[in-house]
Amino acid sequence: MSILSRIAVSLILLAACALAAAADPVPMYNYIDAPFILPDGGIGKDLTDYLNAKLAGKFTLHLSNVARSKLNYAVLNNPEFKGVVAFTNPAFLGDEGKTKYNWTDSFMTDETQVVSTTAKPVDFKGDKAALKGKTGGGILGFVYKPMEPELGTSIKRDDAASDDKNLEKLLAGKIDFAIMNESAIKYLQTQPNFAGKFTVAKTPISKITRHLMVDKRAPAGLYEALEAIVKAMPNDPQWKAVLSKYGQ
């Protein structure tokens, strides 16, 4: 075989490998409830479609919705994990120094808030002492660092699987307040069974930014491609339309 023939074969094999890598879907996980997960899709599905369109076949993301507890033990602790986690933050995954994973810029802002019923409002102005002796509803597997160490000690904690379940517990008088994201309560308050029944404390527990976490074992070039897309998202009318669709 001539040198030119060998070079041609090598190039064909490299191209085939590149196409195979591009065709192999990269898992992207979402652990945030409504409006990120909805029966007809939610922000998570719309984000996946948006990113895949921008990636234009170079990479393909495949969305999986999982509970936070499952994300912790079955995904992040899996040595074979080579994917992406959407809508998260370095503090949520214990990577404040951004050394364990690769992180994109933020593409969405949110707040963690104290939600209670209009019939029995909880007056929270940033002082955790005001919640002492009360029972707060969180989400199983979630860490609420701004509320620690009081949450779970002087402030009782009673978790549920989802935000809507915590709202149901509030209405039933089983908890005094729920710890929820602004994105969730804004959406859930539009639902007939919850509309007009809840109040949100004027002072948030914390303000947060949402990012994509890209594992360092992910396919080469994926992080750079996603970071380039994310940097343009805040000013992209297409992404703004997605957020507006869900009242964000």
Side-chain angles (χ1 to χ4, degrees), residues 144-174:
Y144 302 99
K145 286 192 176 182
M147 296 293 288
E148 294 177 348
E150 291 85 351
L151 186 64
T153 54
S154 61
I155 304 170
K156 298 176 184 177
R157 178 170 176 172
D158 186 348
D159 285 348
S162 61
D163 289 316
D164 60 329
K165 294 299 181 184
N166 269 330
L167 293 185
E168 291 174 0
K169 286 163 62 178
L170 271 173
L171 292 175
K174 295 180 179 179

Side-chain angles (χ1 to χ4, degrees), residues 15-75:
C17 290
L19 285 171
D24 192 18
V26 177
M28 182 167 77
Y29 293 90
N30 167 49
Y31 62 90
I32 312 294
D33 201 32
F36 300 91
I37 305 172
L38 295 174
D40 59 349
I43 301 179
K45 181 181 183 303
D46 286 356
L47 173 66
T48 307
D49 292 344
Y50 174 91
L51 293 175
N52 280 335
K54 297 290 185 181
L55 289 168
K58 186 175 181 181
F59 300 98
T60 301
L61 301 173
H62 175 75
L63 179 66
S64 292
N65 295 312
V66 296
R68 175 58 195 263
S69 54
K70 184 175 181 180
L71 180 81
N72 292 347
Y73 72 78
V75 178

Side-chain angles (χ1 to χ4, degrees), residues 68-188:
R68 175 58 195 263
S69 54
K70 184 175 181 180
L71 180 81
N72 292 347
Y73 72 78
V75 178
L76 299 180
N77 291 332
N78 182 353
E80 300 299 318
F81 174 63
K82 299 176 182 179
V84 178
V85 178
F87 306 112
T88 191
N89 181 286
F92 300 166
L93 301 186
D95 191 28
E96 289 89 340
K98 299 182 180 181
T99 57
K100 189 174 182 180
Y101 307 109
N102 288 322
W103 294 91
T104 68
D105 279 11
S106 67
F107 57 90
M108 187 175 177
T109 58
D110 212 336
E111 292 183 352
T112 305
Q113 298 176 325
V114 170
V115 179
S116 54
T117 62
T118 53
K120 193 178 178 182
V122 170
D123 186 22
F124 175 74
K125 297 178 180 177
D127 184 4
K128 288 180 285 186
L131 304 176
K132 184 177 180 180
K134 298 185 184 297
T135 300
I139 301 295
L140 187 66
F142 276 44
V143 176
Y144 302 99
K145 286 192 176 182
M147 296 293 288
E148 294 177 348
E150 291 85 351
L151 186 64
T153 54
S154 61
I155 304 170
K156 298 176 184 177
R157 178 170 176 172
D158 186 348
D159 285 348
S162 61
D163 289 316
D164 60 329
K165 294 299 181 184
N166 269 330
L167 293 185
E168 291 174 0
K169 286 163 62 178
L170 271 173
L171 292 175
K174 295 180 179 179
I175 56 177
D176 298 302
F177 66 93
I179 303 172
M180 294 180 62
N181 293 320
E182 180 186 31
S183 54
I185 188 61
K186 282 174 70 174
Y187 171 77
L188 290 171

